[in-house]
Amino acid sequence: MYAAAVQDLIDELGRLPGIGPKSAQRIAFYLLKQSSDDALRLARAIHVVKERVTWCRRCYNIAEGPPGEASGNAECGICRDPGRDPSVICVVEEPRDVVAVEKTRDYRGLYHVLQGAISPIDGIGGAQLRVRELLTRLGTEEEVREVILCANPNIEGEATTLYLTMLLRELPIKLTAIAHGVPVGGDLEYADEITLGRALAGRREVVG
């Protein structure tokens, strides 16, 4: 129906999460109407992200290094910040959850990003997450005194919290989970700062 180049663009856009065939078509034709400079600016932004952005070697949050730096050598700004409290680690599912917690301005510890949540229907278990790396951190960073489980309040988040509780409950570390001020079935990134801040402040100790 369309020229091959246009169809290729629609197909690639359709692979993005949340973008269906009609949305992909609308975006493709929007881009066709833009100037070459606008289109190239978008292409350059994508290229730079893929070239310079990697995962923090410590917490697996997003980290940015100089062009060409090998993946695994960079640290995120939070891990590099000497003003953060290294005795507390907040475990979240995705980098966007770090942003949500940071917006509360109530948390000054470090993070560990699992890069997903347990979802058997999608074939995702603990082995597919950054759980092994978390256990390694807890075994090597002796100053850690508390781990806050801050998964999303949905089925996958609850399964992840339960799984981590079973793994961590025997460690000599205080294990807490955020309070239920966050609506059940929602995502942390959509919670307002006040609600999420109160959920952190009212976190409960996890009993195995």
Side-chain angles (χ1 to χ4, degrees):
M1 182 182 298
Y2 302 118
V6 174
Q7 189 61 54
D8 286 345
L9 177 59
I10 292 173
D11 292 343
E12 290 302 316
L13 291 170
R15 295 172 57 191
L16 298 174
I19 303 296
K22 290 186 177 180
S23 295
Q25 181 177 300
R26 283 196 297 270
I27 296 171
F29 280 98
Y30 169 81
L31 292 173
L32 286 173
K33 292 179 181 178
Q34 302 307 299
S35 68
S36 294
D37 287 344
D38 288 341
L40 287 174
R41 188 160 52 247
L42 173 60
R44 280 195 298 270
I46 295 173
H47 176 73
V48 169
V49 162
K50 295 305 295 180
E51 183 182 51
R52 298 182 60 172
V53 175
T54 182
W55 305 122
C56 174
R57 64 182 178 86
R58 187 179 185 187
C59 74
Y60 297 93
N61 186 22
I62 291 173
E64 183 174 353
E69 179 172 309
S71 176
N73 290 333
E75 278 195 350
C76 69
I78 293 174
C79 285
R80 293 197 309 267
D81 184 353
R84 308 295 296 210
D85 180 1
S87 70
V88 185
I89 294 178
C90 182
V91 180
V92 297
E93 294 178 17
E94 300 285 356
R96 61 177 176 264
D97 298 328
V98 172
V99 176
V101 174
E102 286 296 289
K103 285 181 179 179
T104 69
R105 300 181 184 275
D106 290 329
Y107 179 71
R108 294 298 300 167
L110 299 178
Y111 293 91
H112 189 87
V113 182
L114 297 172
Q115 296 187 351
I118 290 177
S119 177
I121 195 172
D122 296 317
I124 301 174
Q128 284 71 50
L129 306 178
R130 298 289 186 175
V131 174
R132 182 176 58 185
E133 291 84 352
L134 173 62
L135 295 174
T136 299
R137 284 186 72 183
L138 297 179
T140 57
E141 298 183 14
E142 297 180 357
E143 65 270 32
V144 178
R145 299 288 178 267
E146 180 182 2
V147 171
I148 305 172
L149 303 180
C150 196
N152 285 308
N154 52 30
I155 294 175
E156 293 79 8
E158 290 295 323
T160 304
T161 296
L162 179 60
Y163 177 75
L164 291 175
T165 299
M166 293 174 63
L167 288 178
L168 304 179
R169 61 187 177 187
E170 300 299 329
L171 297 179
I173 296 172
K174 184 178 181 181
L175 189 60
T176 60
I178 58 172
H180 290 291
V182 181
V184 174
D187 287 341
L188 293 179
E189 64 176 314
Y190 300 122
D192 65 89
E193 291 89 344
I194 294 176
T195 297
L196 185 53
R198 288 175 177 171
L200 277 167
R203 61 185 181 273
R204 68 190 189 281
E205 187 164 1
V206 177
V207 179

